[in-house]
Amino acid sequence: MQFSLPLNAPVLTRDAATETGGDALGNLPEWNLDDLYTAEDAPELNADMSWLEENCAKFAADYAGKLGGLDASAMLACIQTQEEINQKAGRIMSYAGLRYYQNTMDAGRAQFMQNCQEALTEYTSHLVFFSLEFNRLNEDHLAGLLAENADLARYKPVFDRMRAMKPHQLSDELEQYLHDQSSVGAAAWNTLFDETIAGLMFNMNGEELNLEATLNFLTDQDRSKREAASHELARVFGENVRLFARVHNTLAKDKEVEDRWRKMPSPQAGRHLSNHVEPEVVEALRNAVVAAYPKLSHRYYALKAKWLGLETMQTWDRNAPLPMESERLVSWDEARAIVDGAYGDFDPRMKEIAAPFYDKGWIDAAVKPGKAPGAFAHPTVANVHPYVMLNYLGKPRDVMTLAHELGHGVHQVLAADQGEMLSSTPLTLAETASVFGEMLTFRKLLDGAKDQAERKVMLAGKVEDMINTVVRQIAFYDFECKLHAARAEGELTPDDINALWMSVQAQSLGPVFEFAPGYETFWAYIPHFVHSPFYVYAYAFGDGLVNALYAVYEEGDADFQEKYFDMLKAGGSKHHSELLAPFGLDASDPAFWDKGLSMISGMIDELEAME
């Protein structure tokens, strides 16, 4: 049981980019982590460390080899004790991880996080027996315990997910070994990747910039700046591509070895099990999106090429602003007013839940040296509250990012009442509230468009975001599938990985694109491939699900808000089929995904009609 930092939405995939916005953005909030701990040497943190060391050992002494003999009330006490252990460990790693992400170049913060990780790995080694022994319980015996005690029966979804791993668990000794070496295995390679990415510097017009600041030029109105940034990104990625290839080779092989020992049927199977989603559902999603490439990305980018006055587009034109798009910066206060308005119009409770994020130091918005790129919402633990990280630049897409991450935050606050074990939402559903929050914000902005030109810019921006969320992420998923399949056959050179990357890029972006030399290395900076293999399909899952949900909302379901809040409050306590049933939706139906994709193609229809 490794307590690494579980970022439910580690990094948004809009190619978020960074430069200083100056005073025009206003007073950007920063985190106050005191609700976790006040300092590395805080007495409360030291006390929790000591408590964990003592109680992890006590847990093993009290329960190892004895689970089969526990009655229902004793089993409940066992589960609740483990839940308390999880909560204290999660609190410590949340504090260590969030401090680290504020400045990944600070050696002291990195050391503190690693020391915490190693200590908790050592303490929780006593807990490895639990899932193994629990999975050996007789089905009828367990069913009897659940029938006898309603409080214990609440944890059935946790037990179901745990027992789904039963066919794939190893011997007690091997599981103990994997646990003990975890902090110097994949986790160490993840840290190497993070520190390397954070330390990369790019030369733009004689100025040394970090990755975020350089990526920001890919959305500049000036095409020459976009091109220069793309070439500079390619240069630096190319200089470091051997290291990135080593990271990917090692992690993919490490996963292949463990998957083989666990008898996983595919590299993706572990992710599907943790997401509590059937492989055929993911396959239906993937196939629906790939089949829709021509009517989505191919069609939209051909339209965009005309707007930009180009016969063919280069990859640095993909996220270019439209010629008629305003370059006005959106201040932080204005961004808050926009999102608050959208949330409040949907339901006042949404705005109320979001308020403390702004006012109590739950958001870190400013761009700072060494700060991790992108954006995420981290739920921490059920008895504290989430924290949101942004790199806010004042662009319209940054407003949507705020809406997205606050959606995660609202979801995490509502689900926290389920408790530590049941609050965590599978990745396939974790994007629901975030994408829905974006959609609410977008629709409010669209309704307020002052003329057809402004409406066109807004529609185009939303289509691009949805293409990045659906098409781009499924292309990423296909790249990962190819990467892991190829690695199973042997070591991959950087050129091998480059070729796999290009094979999905051409297919997904369409014939209007040309690919200048250097773009083949752009897989190197995507953190999902390193931290969370096969995570990316959750974005497409969430977008498709929300598009279908929003269609139900627009149809005027009188009880929609209550059903929606009930869905968020459920956290991880229900399967996706149970959560969607009140809305009349079924993700296992291939037509479900076509319904969501039709919303995107409908927006493209409207854009074409404006020509």
Side-chain angles (χ1 to χ4, degrees), residues 519-598:
Y519 184 70
E520 67 274 6
T521 61
F522 273 48
W523 53 270
Y525 80 96
I526 308 298
H528 302 73
F529 304 153
V530 174
H531 287 284
S532 308
F534 305 108
Y535 178 108
V536 290
Y537 73 73
Y539 285 112
F541 195 110
D543 197 271
L545 188 155
V546 165
N547 287 344
L549 263 182
Y550 202 85
V552 175
Y553 173 53
E554 285 190 315
E555 288 164 6
D557 185 335
D559 297 323
F560 184 90
Q561 277 85 341
E562 290 306 318
K563 292 176 184 176
Y564 181 73
F565 272 82
D566 286 344
M567 179 175 66
L568 300 191
K569 289 175 183 176
S573 67
K574 294 182 179 179
H575 188 263
H576 63 78
S577 58
E578 296 177 84
L579 292 172
L580 292 176
F583 302 96
L585 300 172
D586 179 7
S588 65
D589 181 358
F592 171 85
W593 302 113
D594 291 331
K595 183 175 185 178
L597 295 172
S598 294

Side-chain angles (χ1 to χ4, degrees), residues 2 141 148 243 255 301 319 415 456 500 504 530 537 578:
Q2 181 191 0
H141 172 67
E148 183 180 335
L243 187 150
K255 187 178 190 308
Y301 288 129
N319 284 327
K456 180 178 181 179
L500 296 176
V504 300
V530 174
Y537 73 73
E578 296 177 84

Side-chain angles (χ1 to χ4, degrees), residues 17 104 185 207 209 216 226 244 343 345 357 411 501 516:
T104 60
E207 185 179 1
L209 301 175
N216 188 57
R226 299 198 304 269
F244 290 124
Y343 277 27
D345 287 351
F357 284 85
H411 193 175
W501 172 256

Side-chain angles (χ1 to χ4, degrees), residues 208-248:
E208 290 291 306
L209 301 175
N210 66 7
L211 175 62
E212 286 281 352
T214 309
L215 286 170
N216 188 57
F217 281 100
L218 295 181
T219 59
D220 199 281
Q221 283 279 9
D222 187 335
R223 193 179 191 223
S224 66
K225 291 181 180 179
R226 299 198 304 269
E227 180 177 0
S230 185
H231 290 319
E232 180 62 6
L233 289 163
R235 180 186 69 80
V236 176
F237 293 156
E239 290 176 354
N240 292 272
V241 73
R242 289 179 60 201
L243 187 150
F244 290 124
R246 172 57 47 222
V247 170
H248 283 69

Side-chain angles (χ1 to χ4, degrees), residues 419-482:
E420 195 62 32
M421 287 187 172
L422 286 165
S423 61
S424 180
T425 309
L427 290 180
T428 43
L429 297 170
E431 294 300 323
T432 304
S434 54
V435 179
F436 195 83
E438 277 191 81
M439 184 63 79
L440 291 172
T441 304
F442 165 71
R443 290 294 183 182
K444 183 173 180 63
L445 289 171
L446 190 66
D447 290 344
K450 63 180 183 291
D451 54 35
Q452 192 80 334
E454 187 172 68
R455 182 178 178 86
K456 180 178 181 179
V457 169
M458 288 182 184
L459 272 175
K462 184 59 177 173
V463 168
E464 288 199 15
D465 279 349
M466 295 170 94
I467 286 174
N468 281 339
T469 304
V470 178
V471 170
R472 187 161 166 79
Q473 299 315 304
I474 290 301
F476 282 179
Y477 177 68
D478 278 355
F479 167 72
E480 285 192 276
C481 291
K482 291 183 176 187

Side-chain angles (χ1 to χ4, degrees), residues 31 35 49 56-57 150 181 197 266 285 368 405 412 495-496:
W31 279 334
D35 289 342
M49 277 286 196
C56 287
Q181 67 84 45
I197 284 289
S266 71
L285 163 64
K368 291 168 282 191
E405 299 305 339
Q412 291 158 1
D495 286 344
D496 292 334

